[in-house]
Amino acid sequence: MRLIKYLPLVAFWSLTAFTMKAGAEVKSYREWKTERVQQAQVKVTTLKTQIDARKGIRLAAAGTDPNMAHRAGLEAVASQDISVEKLERELREEIYDLEVAKDLSVTDYFVGYLTKVQDKKTAFNEVAGKLSPEEVAELMTAYANSVFGAHSSDLPASANNFGKDGVK
């Protein structure tokens, strides 16, 4: 995949790249993801409002400015079109970031949030009780993939053994 696809994930991870103070409550996966989605939604809404306001000002100015009436509004509108185009470009990027936030996985949470915590052992213990069985399974699969370099169905037979003696 292209590097550009991973840039939003890097941006989300960099937002959480601070070191949490010892004793601070660690956010659950759902809290963390909800916060990321809400932050992205606020950015999208803010940009939409700014674009609408600029377009409204442009329309109002076109009808009241005597200089624009004589020049058909070309000079004044051109500079505002540039700023509106810039905002629309930013809006497309923020909409993409919102979609990325909605798709954040428990693995992203682990890599982008939990690994930045100062006291990892305490944080892992605290979060362990907050994860659903599905989230734990996703983390375990990601761990297995990183350790064995294979999908969980492709794990070596020794990894599928449940007992010490190799008998299931």
Side-chain angles (χ1 to χ4, degrees):
M1 291 198 171
R2 295 176 10 175
L3 176 63
I4 196 94
K5 187 170 184 171
Y6 293 106
L7 288 177
L9 288 176
V10 172
F12 278 110
W13 293 338
S14 67
L15 287 174
T16 59
F18 62 91
T19 303
M20 291 181 56
K21 296 178 182 175
E25 184 176 323
V26 179
K27 294 176 188 158
S28 70
Y29 164 66
R30 283 179 178 66
E31 292 168 333
W32 175 78
K33 182 176 178 175
T34 300
E35 183 178 283
R36 295 292 167 264
V37 169
Q38 288 173 345
Q39 288 174 348
Q41 184 63 54
V42 165
K43 289 179 183 178
V44 166
T45 303
T46 301
L47 282 170
K48 284 181 178 180
T49 302
Q50 289 175 354
I51 290 169
D52 290 344
R54 295 228 177 151
K55 286 181 178 179
I57 290 170
R58 182 176 59 204
L59 289 174
T64 59
D65 188 352
N67 293 326
M68 290 180 66
H70 294 295
R71 295 188 174 249
L74 294 178
E75 289 181 26
V77 173
S79 65
Q80 287 185 348
D81 279 345
I82 294 169
S83 64
V84 169
E85 287 175 8
K86 181 182 175 192
L87 287 174
E88 287 174 339
R89 188 174 345 106
E90 288 178 34
L91 176 61
R92 285 190 298 274
E93 292 169 6
E94 292 300 334
I95 289 172
Y96 179 75
D97 288 349
L98 175 60
E99 294 306 314
V100 169
K102 289 177 180 178
D103 290 336
L104 287 171
S105 69
V106 71
T107 306
D108 298 320
Y109 165 72
F110 182 80
V111 172
Y113 178 69
L114 287 180
T115 58
K116 309 302 188 252
V117 175
Q118 188 175 20
D119 185 3
K120 289 176 183 51
K121 184 175 181 176
T122 302
F124 293 164
N125 284 332
E126 185 177 336
V127 168
K130 294 180 179 181
L131 294 175
S132 71
E134 293 82 17
E135 293 165 346
V136 172
E138 185 179 339
L139 268 179
M140 292 174 71
T141 301
Y143 176 74
N145 290 342
S146 70
V147 170
F148 298 109
H151 296 290
S152 59
S153 62
D154 300 331
L155 292 177
S158 62
N160 291 323
N161 294 334
F162 294 118
K164 290 182 183 179
D165 59 357
V167 180
K168 289 185 182 181

